[in-house]
Amino acid sequence: MRRRSWIQMGALAVLLAGCGGSNGTGPDDPGVVTPDRSEFAVLNSISGTLQQFNRIDGRIVPFGRDIQLGAGFRGQTADFIQDLWVTAWDAPEGSKVLFGSFSTDEQTTAVFPNNAIVDPGKPTVIFDAGGTVGALIPARALDAVFVAFPGTPMAQIAVEGVGTFVERAIPAGQFVVSVDANLDDEEGGRAPLGPPRIALHEFISGSYFDELRLPEGTVGATEAIVLEDKMLLLAGGGVDPLTSAPLGDGNLVEIDMTARSVQDVNSLGGNGISMEAGRNGLVYVVRTKGVDATETDLLAFSFAIRAWINGPENPIQPSDRDGSNLSCRLAAAFLDGQILCATYVAAGQGRLVLLSAEGEFIDEAPIGAGTTDILLRPS
């Protein structure tokens, strides 16, 4: 593999994108040009679709046809850059990486060596100075990280021995930063073996460079966001081994990547379900409302000032059309603070709900079953 300086792009670019929301046009406005591309999309893991939308005059408006991801699709996460998206999932015949286009029907698939079933984590789109686009794919079952490219039929191993349950692999210069949830998946379960850790390996050689173990009491690692030399890691918390009820011990961990040290551990007051970067510079965490709770609300954290805007003591409570509480599975925000909330329904249609910055209902649109990711596309 030739020497590359890898750069992370994709969904995290929304933190740096000074892009607006509605363009004030819509299908019912004669003589006004409608958007020529989607502003955001959702990944439906059970329906096997990517659905695209725009926000126009306070409405969620579908854009184009649903992107079909194929029979047997069960991917739960995706990443993107410009018109390209990527997702990965396990199939009986071997795990797959799927690249595609938001604007065309073009798709290309890669598999893993020996048709391995790798239990892929969240892909991360990368590119080098020469413009080559690819994706890093954590292989949780193999304790390794692979790299795949559109049009190349086989993923290549990039780094081995990265941890026991690697959820994310993020490039940083000549290094691959692996986020290891440190879970035991040998017997089909996911029991914590200890606190999560961050491991650094040299991309070219795959050699181990350094690692950072998170403090005792942090459990799991479900998502990580990097901005410049800072990382936010969502340690979602544990569940009761008998009832699977949330234990309410989730944390949002601030990490200085340059010093490779933990700056702070912020309790969620519940379990962390998901974390998404908003266009308004805030990071949104969906959390359960304490121990044994299944209902969720929303926290907002500022990278810039390293503080909660809406923390466990003053969370955002999303409201439904009738004023009742609405539980989101995913949430992210636009530049003006309006929030997208996606619900999760395993059998039947989910809902994509537009909320005010305070969580008040504005509009909604139906989405597919098993929605597990929101993609906010910078303009």
Side-chain angles (χ1 to χ4, degrees), residues 314-353:
N314 65 326
I316 299 169
Q317 176 57 68
S319 297
D320 211 332
R321 185 186 297 270
D322 62 2
S324 61
N325 290 345
L326 176 66
S327 285
C328 306
R329 168 69 178 265
L330 305 158
F334 298 100
L335 187 64
D336 61 7
Q338 287 189 351
I339 297 168
L340 272 180
C341 159
T343 68
Y344 183 93
V345 178
Q349 288 186 327
R351 302 167 64 201
L352 186 61
V353 183

Side-chain angles (χ1 to χ4, degrees), residues 288-309:
T288 62
K289 297 180 182 180
V291 180
D292 293 335
T294 56
E295 292 187 349
T296 66
D297 55 19
L298 187 58
L299 310 181
F301 186 88
S302 170
F303 246 124
I305 62 173
R306 292 185 50 213
W308 292 116
I309 303 301

Side-chain angles (χ1 to χ4, degrees), residues 353-373:
V353 183
L354 182 64
L355 307 167
S356 71
E358 294 74 33
E360 298 170 340
F361 181 93
I362 298 174
D363 191 37
E364 69 174 300
I367 51 179
T371 306
T372 51
D373 212 349

Side-chain angles (χ1 to χ4, degrees), residues 4 16 40 50 56 66 77 83 89 125 133 157-158 188 215 217 229 237 239-240 253 327 332 378:
R4 302 180 188 271
L16 300 176
F40 50 93
L50 262 174
I56 300 174
D66 294 353
T77 56
D83 191 54
W89 75 99
V125 170
V133 179
I157 195 161
D229 61 345
V239 297
D240 187 285
V253 184
S327 285

